[in-house]
């Protein structure tokens, strides 16, 4: 193995990682980033909360994500980086910001490993009850870790097929749903608008329920940014980023809003079957045998996809932090296949610990850890928006050369910032999200304090050294 010193790069400004991800890999990684198990399972609770009006919540949350991805895409197309928004925060807000958001983001995905490994193990345990659930969680973690250690191409292949299953499932669902709505499915009466307006109206629980629903569904979209991180390990990162960002709009419209529209049109929003599993309920309406098993397979695929991406994303962020001197130097080691093996193993070790805690103390320690990551998505989006605002203004007249631009800058950027702040305020107002926000803020405050302290000392050292040396210190020592 070889180590990459902080700032050491190859052509294009990228760390010395493999460039083996193909366009088809990146296309599916971009798609998979917004299709999680929450769409298939968690959407039922959101529908029960807001009724058909949940479509407005999905549209509003989707708009925020589209704007955030556009801003991130502008920066990533100009300067593709494995550290993505963490490196842009370095440049825009200061090294403390890149340090802080990078560590918070890696922490989020490491916690996700514990959640998803347990969820996947629970499904397999139902099929093979003779093997303890924790063993299945261990097997899933080990297998997916091995794919990351072997090569980045293996990650791309796994994600390509995981995403293909999810896309095929949703496309099939949409086709059947449209046919049923049009009255083309034998034995299923066309519902018309009865389920949209006849069960208490389109907003049966009022506008407040829709606003609360936005907070429920907004986190389902987190993960779309993974494509900008993975693009750094492709032969043509700029075009990969452009395609991923531009496809965000139709992915959200088709996969989320389209499939949820099918559910609330075909079935009453207050049906108990919708609350339990809306997609299974619709498949049972079609008379498809084994709907529950089919959905288990689809959800397991989504869980494995999330595990796959979580391990990859956490390891790449840790690698990026280490190349900038913000994480242990040992994590910069790269195998002959161009894989940051040490960073992968570091992510995995902590991931194994979280899985263990989920079995040992699920309602205490693990729940506490999960709550500390609850609002990190909003923090990441806020940093992306602030970074884009600052970096774009610094460009001045050079901004006309950007190949991908944020729409109506700076107005939509400011609108995005205001929307994200409003979501944070909403988490304070709602009792069910308040604890998660407070714990996330507490964690963020600790990490930011460490970052500020770390780079405050370096800034003072630079200021003291400059008069004696007569020259400005290199930005490699830490830039504010």
């Amino acid at each position: 193995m070889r180590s990459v010193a902080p700032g050491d790069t190859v052509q294009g400004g990228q760390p010395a990682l493999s460039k083996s991800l193909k366009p088809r890999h990146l296309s599916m990684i971009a798609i998979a980033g917004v299709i999680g198990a929450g769409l298939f399972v968690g959407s039922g609770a959101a529908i029960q909360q807001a009724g058909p009006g949940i479509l407005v919540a999905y549209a509003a949350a989707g708009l925020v994500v589209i704007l955030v991805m556009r801003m991130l895409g502008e920066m990533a197309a100009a300067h593709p980086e494995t550290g993505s928004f963490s490196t842009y925060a370095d440049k825009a807000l200061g090294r403390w910001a890149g340090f802080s958001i990078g560590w918070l983001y890696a922490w989020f995905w490491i916690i996700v490993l514990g959640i998803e490994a347990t969820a996947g193990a629970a499904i397999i345990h139902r099929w093979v009850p003779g093997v303890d659930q924790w063993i299945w969680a261990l097997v899933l973690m080990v297998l997916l870790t091995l794919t990351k250690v072997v090569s980045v191409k293996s990650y791309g292949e796994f994600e390509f097929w995981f995403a293909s299953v999810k896309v095929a499932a949703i496309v099939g669902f949409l086709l059947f749903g449209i046919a049923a709505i049009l009255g083309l499915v034998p034995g299923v009466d066309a519902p018309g608008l009865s389920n949209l307006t006849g069960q208490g109206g389109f907003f049966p629980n009022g506008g407040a329920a829709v606003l609360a629903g936005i907070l429920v569904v907004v986190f389902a979209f987190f993960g779309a940014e993974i494509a900008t991180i993975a693009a750094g390990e492709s032969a043509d990162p700029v075009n990969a980023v452009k395609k991923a960002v531009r496809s965000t709009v139709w992915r959200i419209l088709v996969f989320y809003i389209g499939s949820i529209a099918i559910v609330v049109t075909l079935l009453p929003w207050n049906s108990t079957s919708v609350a339990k599993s809306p997609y299974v309920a619709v498949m049972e309406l079609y008379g498809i045998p084994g709907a529950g098993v089919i959905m288990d397979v689809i959800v397991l695929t989504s869980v494995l996809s999330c595990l796959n991406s979580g391990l990859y994303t956490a390891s790449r962020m840790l690698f990026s932090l280490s190349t900038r001197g913000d994480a242990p130097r040992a994590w910069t080691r790269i195998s002959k296949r161009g894989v940051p093996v040490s960073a992968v193993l570091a992510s995995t070790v902590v991931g194994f610990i979280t899985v263990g805690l989920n079995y040992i103390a699920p309602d205490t320690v693990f729940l506490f850890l999960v709550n500390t990551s609850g609002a990190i998505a909003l923090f990441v989006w806020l940093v992306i928006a602030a970074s884009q605002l600052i970096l774009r203004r610094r460009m001045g007249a050079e901004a006309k050369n950007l190949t991908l631009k944020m729409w109506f800058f700076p107005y939509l950027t400011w609108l995005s910032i205001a929307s994200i702040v409003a979501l944070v305020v909403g988490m304070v107002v709602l009792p069910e999200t308040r604890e998660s926000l407070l714990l996330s803020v507490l964690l963020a405050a600790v990490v930011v304090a460490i970052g500020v302290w770390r780079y405050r000392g370096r800034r003072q050292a630079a200021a003291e050294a400059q008069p004696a040396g007569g020259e400005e210190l290199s930005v490699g020592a830490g830039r504010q």
Side-chain angles (χ1 to χ4, degrees), residues 160-250:
F160 176 83
W161 292 109
F162 288 152
S164 296
V165 171
K166 292 190 288 186
V167 170
I170 294 181
V171 169
F173 181 83
L174 289 171
L175 293 176
F176 273 113
I178 293 171
I181 291 172
L182 297 176
L184 302 178
V185 177
V188 178
D189 295 330
L193 299 177
S194 60
N195 290 323
L196 292 174
T197 60
Q199 306 288 330
F202 193 74
F203 301 104
N205 296 324
V210 174
L211 293 176
I214 295 175
L215 284 173
V216 174
V217 305
V218 70
F219 299 103
F221 294 112
F222 198 50
E225 73 291 336
I226 293 175
T228 66
I229 295 174
E233 293 180 76
S234 68
D236 189 4
V238 174
N239 284 329
V241 166
K242 291 179 184 178
K243 290 178 65 176
V245 171
R246 287 169 177 165
S247 65
T248 300
V249 177
W250 70 260

Side-chain angles (χ1 to χ4, degrees), residues 9-372:
T9 58
V10 295
Q11 186 176 0
Q14 291 296 306
L17 296 173
S18 171
K19 304 287 185 180
S20 55
L21 287 179
K22 299 178 180 179
R24 65 183 179 89
H25 294 148
L26 289 164
S27 295
M28 282 303 184
I29 289 170
I31 292 173
V34 294
I35 307 176
L39 172 62
F40 300 108
V41 180
S43 56
I47 293 171
Q48 286 282 294
Q49 182 175 24
I54 195 65
L55 288 171
V56 176
Y58 272 102
L63 178 60
V64 173
V65 175
I66 288 169
L67 294 177
V68 169
M69 281 297 294
R70 187 76 183 189
M71 288 183 282
L72 180 57
E74 177 183 292
M75 296 183 289
H79 301 285
E81 299 276 1
T82 300
S84 189
F85 50 84
S86 176
T87 59
Y88 307 140
D90 266 3
K91 299 172 184 177
L93 302 170
R95 292 299 306 278
W96 67 269
F99 170 92
S100 302
I101 206 64
W103 275 105
L104 288 173
Y105 187 72
W107 173 249
F108 172 88
W109 283 109
I110 288 171
I111 291 297
V112 165
L113 298 181
I115 299 172
E116 299 296 339
T118 304
I123 295 174
I124 300 176
H125 181 65
R126 288 202 296 270
W127 299 341
V128 190
V131 180
D132 289 343
Q133 186 172 325
W134 70 268
I135 294 178
W136 288 120
L138 181 65
V139 169
L140 293 178
M141 286 287 291
V142 170
L143 288 176
L144 290 175
T145 298
L146 290 176
T147 66
K148 305 301 168 297
V149 173
V150 172
S151 70
V152 67
K153 185 177 179 180
S154 63
Y155 159 68
E157 286 295 333
F158 270 80
E159 199 60 19
F160 176 83
W161 292 109
F162 288 152
S164 296
V165 171
K166 292 190 288 186
V167 170
I170 294 181
V171 169
F173 181 83
L174 289 171
L175 293 176
F176 273 113
I178 293 171
I181 291 172
L182 297 176
L184 302 178
V185 177
V188 178
D189 295 330
L193 299 177
S194 60
N195 290 323
L196 292 174
T197 60
Q199 306 288 330
F202 193 74
F203 301 104
N205 296 324
V210 174
L211 293 176
I214 295 175
L215 284 173
V216 174
V217 305
V218 70
F219 299 103
F221 294 112
F222 198 50
E225 73 291 336
I226 293 175
T228 66
I229 295 174
E233 293 180 76
S234 68
D236 189 4
V238 174
N239 284 329
V241 166
K242 291 179 184 178
K243 290 178 65 176
V245 171
R246 287 169 177 165
S247 65
T248 300
V249 177
W250 70 260
R251 282 185 276 133
I252 289 175
L253 287 174
V254 173
F255 295 134
Y256 273 90
I257 298 176
S259 59
I260 296 299
I262 294 291
V263 172
V264 296
T265 302
L266 288 178
L267 296 171
W269 65 270
N270 51 4
S271 167
T272 55
S273 59
V274 169
K276 184 178 179 181
S277 180
Y279 291 80
V280 170
V282 171
M283 285 193 291
E284 290 176 343
L285 179 68
Y286 297 147
I288 298 175
V293 175
I294 293 173
M295 187 50 58
D296 272 350
V297 172
I298 295 171
V299 171
L300 178 61
T301 302
S302 297
V303 166
L304 294 177
S305 173
C306 193
L307 265 176
N308 194 42
S309 292
L311 275 170
Y312 171 83
T313 307
S315 67
R316 272 22 179 211
M317 187 57 72
L318 292 181
F319 172 79
S320 176
L321 287 166
S322 66
T323 62
R324 288 175 275 153
D326 289 336
R329 174 72 178 276
W331 295 353
T332 63
R333 293 176 182 172
I334 299 175
S335 70
K336 293 180 180 179
R337 293 176 176 267
V339 176
V341 175
S342 296
V344 172
L345 295 179
S347 304
T348 303
V349 168
V350 182
F352 277 122
I353 293 173
T354 60
V355 172
L357 290 172
N358 201 359
Y359 287 103
I360 297 171
D363 298 324
T364 52
V365 180
F366 185 73
L367 181 60
F368 173 82
L369 295 178
V370 170
N371 282 334
T372 63

Side-chain angles (χ1 to χ4, degrees), residues 379-430:
F379 300 160
V380 169
W381 292 343
L382 192 59
V383 166
I384 289 172
S387 298
Q388 188 268 338
L389 181 67
I390 293 171
L391 293 178
R392 177 71 174 272
R393 283 181 168 171
R394 283 182 188 170
M395 293 186 71
E398 293 181 6
K400 65 182 180 181
N401 298 322
L402 288 171
T403 57
L404 185 69
K405 295 182 180 180
M406 176 60 180
W407 303 299
F408 300 107
F409 177 84
Y411 307 108
L412 285 185
T413 298
W414 279 113
L415 176 63
S416 302
I417 292 173
S419 300
I420 297 166
V421 171
L423 289 171
V424 173
V425 173
M427 289 189 72
V428 175
V429 174
L430 290 181

